[in-house]
Amino acid sequence: MPSSAKKLVNWTPTDIKADMLAKYPPKVARKRASQILVNEALGNETPEISANVRTIPGIITMRGCTYAGCKGVILGPTRDIVNITHGPIGCGFYSWLTRRNQTDASAEGAENFMPYCFSTDMQDQDIIFGGEKKLQAAIQEAYDLFHPKAIAIFATCPVGLIGDDIHAVARKMKAKFGDCNVFAFSCEGYKGVSQSAGHHIANNKIFSEVVGENDAEKPGEFKINLLGEYNIGGDGFEIDRILKKCGITNISTFSGNSTYDQFASAHKADLSAVMCHRSINYVADMLETKFGIPWIKVNFIGAKSTAKSLRKIAEYFGDPGLTARVEEVIAEEMPVVEEVIAEIRPRTEGKTAMLFVGGSRAHHYQDLFAEMGMKTLAAGYEFAHRDDYEGRHVIPNLKVDADSRNIEEIEVKADEQRYAPRKTSEEMAKLEAAGLKFKEYDGLIPDMDHQTLVIDDLNQYEAEKLVEIIKPDVFCAGIKEKFSIQKLGIPMKQLHSYDSGGPYAGFQGAVNFYHEIDRLVNSKVWSYMKAPWQENPELSATYVWE
Amino acid sequence: MLLRHTPKEIKERSALAINPAKTCQPIGAMYAALGIHGCLPHSHGSQGCCAYHRSALTRHYKEPVSAATSSFTEGASVFGGGANLVSAIENIFTVYEPDVIAVHTTCLSETIGDDLPQMTDKAKKSGKVPEGKHVIYANTPSYVGSHVTGFSNMVKGMAKGFAVNTGKKNGRVNIIPGWVEPSDMEEVRRMATLMGLDIILFPDTSGVLNGALNGEYKMFPDGGTPVADLVASGDAIGTLALGEWCSADAARWLDTQCKVPCTVLDMPFGLKATDRFIDTLRKVAGVNVPDTIAFERGQLVDLISDMHQYFHGKKVALVGDPDQVIALTEFLASIDMKPVHIVTGTPGNKFEKRIDEITSEAGYKANVKAGGDMFLLHQWIKNEPVDLIIGNTYCKYIARDEDIPFLRFGFPIFDRVGHQYFPTVGYKGGLHMLTRILDLILTRTDRDETEEKFELVY
Ligand code: SF4
Ligand code: SF4
């Protein structure tokens, strides 16, 4: 179906915003108005958005909870830690193999606990009398059965309410075992306003309990950490392939296809490259403060972004051999990408997209759409903070409210023995003068066109309105949104889990994504929605044989 | 090996559940509530539970699943969620305009002891519930029972919330189908209608969770039990509850509170359970069984006789929800298959007793556990291999590691599409089940047979 035929002409983004708010009770409308922004020029300033604020009761949100961010997102992709959910059975069950984190555990003797779901399955007597005893017994049983390197404990809502001291239990069992690190996360679902709080709790604990535990030298040259990459659908595999080809050694991914030892060795890297800014930027900061490892923001979503990120890394190391190798790899990889683009672009050019997902993906994927000649008309995050929209310069001005105060901040100082600046301040200054930006992220808003819509914590009602009014050619969000959007005849691509597809990162991933979007926006299925008698209901003609 | 750490040796565990064969109450309540026409399920707790339950149901049914949440943060968790619930109710009726909000609790609101009757009452008194609209509720603490318990609690919540005994019988029959697929609910209705009964089926998710794609999105599709039917259930001449775990509570409540006599039957999976279902319908309605139904039954018997040679003596491992597993065990035993390892995650001693009865009648003793998990099931399989595994999606890891054919059955099925369109209950459902089982067994034979033994004709 030619998409231009159904495009709206008479709506301005301001109208659309007003229409989305019209039905809300006044209090709700006021709050949502501050989270919906029409991207417009304001001199040199980025417009301000309200983000990381509470979800409104009764309004059907896309968000999940703190536990999901902690256990599901951050710890989920690490294969050799036994993750025990302390709580009733549900939370553990729902976070069991549902994020499509892939892992390569094919090495001889490699441990892989990811296909397992461990829970204390609390019963009412545990809620009444306390669950510490059961937790302790569960840890013991896990240790006896599997002898893992590490056991992690995750608190669910009722655990916080009844006051189980999960950290004391963890300390006790760690001391008892001696050869198994045991640590716990106070990631009760109600702790924050979204998953983001859980990322924070997870990262802090990994940083304080695991990072730096292994001081052995790691082999390889140009060692980096890749932060905020979760290997959904094999993204991490593709990025690793490219890095390896360039001669860059990725010693730890947080936390796609990761192992305990990768976390324990992260302080041995010379650079941290941050993918998902939201879920992990503070870890990059802490690695710098404690060990002297600088960080840069990268993006491996989109072929051009991948090339740019590789060049950034090479620039940092400043090694002519590496720089040459990176250019060779880009030159080798790009022709295939360009060939596919040339084939697909005539079918995708001028089409439109909307993205509402995660805390960086709604930004990164716009690059891929741009490569196909597709325009993003509206985007926003499920659980981002203002800095993810407006850039890191707003961080000092962020309000600390009751909800953010809940999340423990850890104090990090330079490590007395191990702090070692990777570059002298002169070298850093020189790199910066040459245009390499450290610790910087400008956020989503400056990269979006004027008169597009930026919407935080989009809900089902607004999604439906947006789609009805604007009729984009593709909508990207998560599983909960997928089918209501598709009922409206708009293909929906999951960008949390990628449906059954991926990888979409790197060069190969870009090719996969082009094919996937081509398939979606040009699928014949959307033309079957009306039966012939519904399209032309009048009973006028008769057939010749009558 | 994906489950490479599972040892053959079985050790008693007292505290650690591994690979659970159940999940938590609210998801069952949410599924049940979707079977009321014009109903928005509401999860009273933190938004995470609601997100998880919606995601899991969506992945299984491949359909939109809308549900709202009270979105607790720390404050509500300490001071109670009353204010959140009242404003949620106001927002929901204003924005989504459902006829009914079906509230269920989560661990969080249960643990802090939020009083649902009092809170929903307050919402009504303060005018947050528009004229002609309804709020019903169920308590669904996840540290008791399982998702099946939550389903049962919400079904009972429907009866409590709506059923009225006016003292005048309406001649209709309540059928509570239990947690089965939308296609199964449709099939139950079809069979009852063929028998000439005027039934009230609740919940009824057909048309809600197996909908059509036509360019329209309706948050409240045309399917679902109408509120008027739920009200009328109190005047029915009788209730048939299919499944002790899923449906009996609501039926017994109607019996004591509205004087609607009830009969609790097994879920109609397979020949014998369907026979009992049809026979009960016949007696309740005082009708003769029509030839169409007798013919369908005959077709199933015919298929069993044609397939018997392949099924006889084949060992099966079976995991799922108690009502389904009991009926399925009986079905498999009736065609001379041998379910030897049987697990349900939902607790309840009655389960083990019923299974023991069925298998001892078939002349053997099975490994059976209620409140068990799939780790144990896998260990049993390692000790005594089987020819077929029947269970939910998660069994695929066991099936692959042990190289055993696997039939997806029950909840959840994430990795296959289409199950919500084909019934597994009734004689028709039986045909469908047996065909799939035989396909799996013969596909395996075709794969493994030597070339000289490879045959076209059986
Ligand atoms: S907190 Fe309770 S209700 Fe929520 S997902 Fe976990 S077990 Fe289920
Ligand atoms: S972009 Fe996400 S980790 Fe970053 S948050 Fe997303 S789904 Fe995840």
Side-chain angles (χ1 to χ4, degrees), chain B residues 99-113:
Chain B
D99 297 330
V100 183
I101 299 175
V103 185
H104 60 260
T105 51
T106 68
C107 296
L108 178 50
S109 52
E110 279 294 328
T111 307
I112 61 177

Side-chain angles (χ1 to χ4, degrees), chain A residues 23-25 27-28 54-65 67-69 72 84 88-99 105-107 109-113 115-125 127 133-135 137-139 141-142 144-146 157-158 161-162 189-195 403 406 459-461 464 468 479-489 494 497 525-526 528-530 534, chain B residues 1-7 9 11-27 40 42 46-56 58-59 61-75 77-78 83-85 87-92 94-97 107-109 111-112 142-147 210-219 347 371 374-375 379 392 394 397 411-412 414:
Chain A
K23 205 176 179 190
Y24 288 136
K27 246 172 81 186
V28 177
R54 292 180 185 183
T55 302
I56 303 163
I59 300 299
I60 301 177
T61 173
M62 294 179 176
R63 282 178 174 172
C65 67
Y67 165 84
I84 303 178
I89 201 68
C91 318
F93 184 90
Y94 303 115
S95 56
W96 180 20
L97 295 171
T98 46
R99 252 182 77 83
S106 58
E111 290 168 304
N112 181 12
F113 297 106
Y116 292 91
C117 168
F118 304 98
S119 168
T120 53
D121 187 10
M122 288 172 98
Q123 299 298 303
D124 47 359
Q125 68 273 15
I127 300 291
K133 262 215 203 111
K134 190 168 195 188
L135 175 62
I139 297 171
E141 286 172 6
D144 293 343
L145 269 167
F146 307 110
C157 290
L161 294 174
I162 63 174
Y190 59 79
K191 273 263 164 93
V193 302
S194 73
Q195 296 92 310
D403 294 314
N406 263 329
N459 60 55
Q460 180 167 329
Y461 174 72
E464 199 190 313
E468 272 173 12
I479 183 73
K480 301 192 294 297
E481 295 76 46
K482 185 171 178 81
F483 298 99
S484 56
I485 300 295
Q486 291 198 166
K487 291 280 182 201
L488 290 162
Q494 287 194 67
S497 74
V525 69
W526 313 110
Y528 303 151
M529 288 184 300
K530 293 285 172 253
Q534 290 168 315
Chain B
M1 297 285 273
L2 287 158
L3 299 171
R4 64 186 69 168
H5 302 285
T6 305
E9 188 205 339
K11 275 200 204 123
E12 189 69 35
R13 281 172 283 130
S14 68
L16 186 68
I18 313 176
N19 301 352
K22 65 169 179 186
T23 184
C24 66
Q25 285 212 39
I27 196 171
L40 188 73
H42 181 85
S46 171
Q47 71 224 8
C49 309
C50 185
Y52 272 143
H53 303 147
R54 289 178 63 206
S55 298
T58 306
R59 287 196 176 105
Y61 294 104
K62 318 282 190 268
E63 287 285 333
V65 173
S66 300
T69 157
S70 296
S71 287
F72 280 33
T73 51
E74 186 122 282
S77 310
V78 176
N84 286 49
L85 184 60
S87 70
I89 288 174
E90 181 184 11
N91 291 335
I92 290 168
T94 313
V95 180
Y96 310 110
E97 304 175 46
C107 296
L108 178 50
S109 52
T111 307
I112 61 177
S142 289
Y143 34 84
V144 177
S146 76
H147 57 293
N210 57 357
L213 178 65
N214 56 14
E216 281 170 54
Y217 167 61
K218 289 187 182 167
M219 187 182 266
M374 291 194 221
F375 188 75
Q379 291 185 306
N392 71 33
Y394 287 95
Y397 287 78
F411 179 86
F414 292 149

Side-chain angles (χ1 to χ4, degrees), chain B residues 21 28 71 109 111 128 140 200 236 242 276 282 346 363 427 429 452 457:
Chain B
S71 287
S109 52
T111 307
K128 308 286 190 226
T140 48
I200 296 171
L242 305 182
R276 293 193 295 269
R282 175 181 71 94
T346 303
Y427 303 122
E452 57 276 22
V457 186

Side-chain angles (χ1 to χ4, degrees), chain A residues 58 95-96 101 163 207 233 284 341 348 351 439 504 517 524 538:
Chain A
S95 56
W96 180 20
N101 302 118
F207 194 83
I341 272 288
T348 51
K351 296 217 190 271
K439 287 172 93 118
Y504 297 137
I517 296 302
K524 289 189 207 61
E538 54 296 325

Side-chain angles (χ1 to χ4, degrees), chain B residues 113-124:
Chain B
D114 270 3
D115 184 346
L116 284 188
Q118 188 232 323
M119 287 174 182
T120 47
D121 206 48
K122 191 172 165 210
K124 274 178 212 158

Side-chain angles (χ1 to χ4, degrees), chain A residues 240-252:
Chain A
D240 281 346
R241 179 189 73 84
I242 297 169
L243 292 174
K244 202 167 161 205
K245 206 169 159 185
C246 293
I248 299 163
T249 313
N250 175 17
I251 64 166
S252 72

Side-chain angles (χ1 to χ4, degrees), chain B residues 76 264 275 300 369 372 434:
Chain B
V264 181
D275 281 352
L300 181 59
K369 189 158 169 79
L434 292 185

Side-chain angles (χ1 to χ4, degrees), chain B residues 271 297-311 334-335 434:
Chain B
L271 185 71
R297 179 182 191 278
Q299 287 180 314
L300 181 59
V301 176
D302 189 75
L303 202 70
I304 292 172
S305 86
D306 292 346
M307 291 180 172
H308 188 260
Q309 53 184 324
Y310 305 109
F311 291 153
S334 77
I335 57 173
L434 292 185

